[in-house]
Amino acid sequence: QKPVALLRLLVDKGFLYDRGKDLSIKYMKDMQFIAAMVPARCPYGVDPRFVRLFNVFSIAFPPEESIRRIYATILETFFTANAFDKSMQGSDLASRCTSVMMDVFNAVVAALPPTPAKFHYIFNLRDLGRITEGIMQVVPDKVNSVAATVRLERHEILRILNDRMVGDEDKAFLNEKIEEAVQKHFAAEAGGALADPILFGDFLPYHTIEDEGPGGDTVRLYEDMTDFNAIKPILDEVVEKYNMANKAMNLVLFDDCLDHVVRVHRLMRLPRGNALLVGVGGSGKQSITRLAAYTAGCDVFSVTLTRGYNEALFREDLKSLYAMIVEKPVAFLFTDNHVADEGFLELINNMLSSGMVPALFEESERDGIASNIRDEAVKKGALDSKEGAWNYYVSKCRDNLHVVLAMSPVGETLRVRCRSFPGMVNNTVIDWFVPWPEQALVSVAGVFLAKEDLPDANRQDIVTHMVLVHQSVMAQSEAFQLQLKRYNYVTPKNYLDFISNYRGVLRDERKKI
């Protein structure tokens, strides 16, 4: 309420007190005030003495018919203006695609409300816009039929809605609603559209583009990458290339890992694509982000905590970040371990919401930045003024910036932070990391034990036993939580430590022989 009291003084009286020794009055001239808020976000209401200073307008949520018409018109214009096949032009396909999207969206909103455990189940028009944006990433060279378009739409719905789901039950419900909607509106194309796995991306020609170098003829096009067997060899080579140029990552690319890499890579290739990766420690959030960024041609920036690291030092690091993103796309990897001060998240929230941190640059620094980029801004159609150049700079930085928040769901911390800083949910695409499936556990153990001298007859049994032990501990932890209401978190890091301890003990015991 303190900021509201300060604003009430400014709006009502037109001045503020300078917090110097003499508390001199500073009058603010030629200013108009426009405020916006979501009523549900303010549980205690707003001071009526503040509200009386405004003309208040209540903006009702648009009726469903209007929403359908908006997105159907956008898709119809896109398919018609970009020389897609005749079967895709006109209002029929756009209208049916919009109906699928709206049917699924309405079912999810009605059946999956936010709860304390599922605080991020906030579905709104932003999600419909992101689904539509994903559909509009394609070109006729790769998607030029009704069947391919329906499959693409299903993929985009899964990325925006399914990836944030916490449990198998919620995911099963969403997939059931998608299947119902596709069968209802695209019965003839349902077979191909509902086939799994479903992976869209633009890195299939990665090595060709790298070999050609800058100015080559091959371009990245968003397309259906068919299955994991098609992308695994490519990403295996990308990992090798990454390890030669950077600190080596010992990454096992099992199917679930590949799925997450494709999801994060998709956001790296979208302007203003930001991600909130939620998973317990050791899930691979940081490694996946670095691999996806490298594959997408983005640099990765993260802060390094030192003793006494505070907001002033964090702001200096952010200045370095903005010097990078004006040149090329950069992924800003920020984990919960980097939150030395909760005030850092306020700055992150501003970056997600507006693309810039308030008062990050001094006036002289802003003038220098605007002057350096002014010619480029004018060529791109910006106003030939200092303010026009600055707005162009902020917009360009926002397009090139990919904020990736890697957070743990353990405890209440993440829920409280997302409530305090809504940009963490509203301005990101959420990818919720579930426990590793059995196939992942087998793959990881197999890769790490491949270097050990084990009898061939017993190797697979040892791997199976490790998987069984880890799954047994997970099952007992769930029973422990149900009976005693206490949590024992079993993470992928525990599994990796288990394998590492086994290898260490094996080496030590062999030395004794």
Side-chain angles (χ1 to χ4, degrees):
Q1 295 296 326
K2 291 181 180 179
V4 172
L6 181 65
L7 287 171
R8 183 167 66 85
L9 173 65
L10 175 60
V11 177
D12 191 14
K13 305 300 183 182
F15 66 80
L16 292 173
Y17 289 101
D18 190 341
R19 294 179 62 187
K21 292 183 179 179
D22 54 355
L23 289 177
S24 59
I25 293 178
K26 288 189 173 181
Y27 287 93
M28 307 295 174
K29 299 292 187 180
D30 300 325
M31 292 184 65
Q32 291 182 318
F33 298 91
I34 301 176
M37 65 172 290
V38 179
R41 288 275 163 79
C42 193
Y44 306 109
V46 180
D47 186 351
R49 293 177 296 173
F50 181 59
V51 175
R52 69 178 175 83
L53 302 173
F54 293 87
N55 292 311
V56 180
F57 298 90
S58 177
I59 302 177
F61 195 78
E64 183 173 325
E65 183 57 38
S66 298
I67 298 174
R68 288 177 181 268
R69 184 175 180 181
I70 290 170
Y71 289 108
T73 303
I74 292 172
L75 290 176
E76 180 183 352
T77 303
F78 171 72
F79 290 135
T80 303
N82 289 281
F84 283 88
D85 187 77
K86 291 292 185 181
S87 62
M88 300 172 62
Q89 298 181 19
S91 61
D92 179 61
L93 176 62
S95 177
R96 288 194 289 163
C97 283
T98 304
S99 295
V100 169
M101 181 169 63
M102 290 301 302
D103 289 354
V104 174
F105 179 79
N106 290 335
V108 168
V109 170
L112 301 176
T115 65
K118 303 171 184 177
F119 56 87
H120 58 292
Y121 279 23
I122 301 172
F123 307 100
N124 51 43
L125 290 181
R126 290 188 182 91
D127 299 314
L128 298 178
R130 289 177 182 137
I131 294 170
T132 305
E133 180 188 23
I135 296 174
M136 294 170 64
Q137 295 302 307
V138 297
V139 296
D141 300 57
K142 297 298 181 181
V143 175
N144 204 23
S145 67
V146 174
T149 305
V150 179
R151 182 168 172 80
L152 169 65
E153 181 178 24
R154 176 181 171 237
H155 173 268
E156 299 306 314
I157 293 174
L158 289 174
R159 295 292 72 80
I160 302 303
L161 301 181
N162 184 74
D163 289 352
R164 76 176 67 181
M165 299 297 174
V166 174
D168 293 337
E169 185 178 342
D170 292 349
K171 291 185 177 184
F173 171 81
L174 175 62
N175 280 280
E176 179 186 340
K177 294 303 175 183
I178 293 175
E179 183 175 351
E180 289 178 4
V182 171
Q183 292 283 6
K184 177 181 177 181
H185 299 285
F186 294 97
E189 295 83 7
L194 298 173
D196 288 320
I198 181 166
L199 304 165
F200 275 76
D202 63 5
F203 60 82
L204 283 183
Y206 176 84
H207 297 300
T208 304
I209 294 173
E210 288 293 303
D211 293 340
E212 291 178 353
D217 295 330
T218 307
V219 295
R220 294 184 177 220
L221 298 176
Y222 198 53
E223 61 182 315
D224 187 351
M225 299 188 294
T226 63
D227 57 27
F228 295 115
N229 293 330
I231 64 174
K232 189 176 186 303
I234 298 172
L235 290 177
D236 280 335
E237 293 184 33
V238 174
V239 171
E240 291 182 12
K241 189 172 182 180
Y242 176 91
N243 289 341
M244 288 190 292
N246 303 276
K247 182 180 178 181
M249 287 192 303
N250 199 358
L251 195 60
V252 181
L253 296 178
F254 48 85
D255 290 355
D256 199 51
C257 177
L258 292 171
D259 207 3
H260 286 293
V261 171
V262 171
R263 296 175 189 179
V264 178
H265 174 271
R266 169 183 172 275
L267 296 173
M268 299 287 182
R269 297 292 296 166
L270 287 173
R272 308 184 184 187
N274 304 307
L276 172 59
L277 310 182
V278 184
V280 294
S283 299
K285 302 184 294 294
Q286 295 188 53
S287 298
I288 285 171
T289 299
R290 295 183 186 279
L291 177 58
Y294 188 79
T295 309
C298 297
D299 289 340
V300 176
F301 179 90
S302 61
V303 299
T304 302
L305 296 185
T306 57
R307 187 173 183 179
Y309 193 84
N310 54 22
E311 186 173 322
L313 294 174
F314 185 53
R315 283 177 172 269
E316 290 300 318
D317 282 339
L318 292 183
K319 287 184 180 180
S320 301
L321 170 63
Y322 275 92
M324 295 171 61
I325 58 179
V326 75
E327 301 293 339
K328 64 175 297 187
V330 176
F332 177 30
L333 177 58
F334 190 82
T335 73
D336 40 13
N337 293 328
H338 292 143
V339 188
D341 184 334
E342 291 294 317
F344 292 2
L345 292 175
E346 178 65 37
L347 304 184
I348 297 289
N349 189 72
N350 287 321
M351 294 170 67
L352 290 169
S353 302
S354 64
M356 180 53 67
V357 176
L360 180 64
F361 296 101
E362 299 289 342
E363 191 65 30
S364 59
E365 293 175 314
R366 281 189 54 163
D367 291 344
I369 292 171
S371 176
N372 291 335
I373 205 171
R374 190 164 186 164
D375 292 341
E376 178 185 337
V378 172
K379 289 180 181 178
K380 295 291 185 178
L383 293 176
D384 189 7
S385 64
K386 182 173 69 174
E387 194 64 29
W390 175 255
N391 290 336
Y392 172 80
Y393 169 78
V394 173
S395 178
K396 183 178 181 181
C397 288
R398 194 175 184 186
D399 288 343
N400 285 342
L401 175 62
H402 303 286
V403 179
V404 181
L405 304 175
M407 300 289 174
S408 171
V410 176
E412 299 293 316
T413 304
L414 180 60
R415 181 176 66 85
V416 172
R417 286 172 176 171
C418 288
R419 184 180 178 88
S420 301
F421 308 106
M424 292 175 61
V425 174
N426 292 337
N427 298 100
T428 62
V429 174
I430 302 173
D431 187 7
W432 197 281
F433 284 61
V434 297
W436 283 356
E438 183 174 337
Q439 184 258 350
L441 299 173
V442 171
S443 298
V444 170
V447 169
F448 281 104
L449 294 181
K451 303 174 184 177
E452 300 297 331
D453 182 17
L454 299 173
D456 292 337
N458 302 115
R459 183 181 296 275
Q460 189 57 44
D461 291 337
I462 294 172
V463 171
T464 303
H465 176 72
M466 286 183 165
V467 173
L468 177 63
V469 169
H470 185 74
Q471 291 178 330
S472 299
V473 175
M474 290 180 64
Q476 291 300 317
S477 297
E478 291 178 5
F480 182 69
Q481 191 269 328
L482 290 174
Q483 293 176 10
L484 301 178
K485 305 300 181 184
R486 294 172 63 185
Y487 289 93
N488 176 52
Y489 292 100
V490 184
T491 70
K493 181 71 165 57
N494 300 138
Y495 184 63
L496 296 175
D497 290 342
F498 174 36
I499 298 173
S500 178
N501 288 340
Y502 171 78
R503 295 174 65 190
V505 172
L506 182 64
R507 285 193 298 269
D508 293 341
E509 293 301 318
R510 281 179 170 169
K511 289 178 182 178
K512 296 177 182 179
I513 299 176

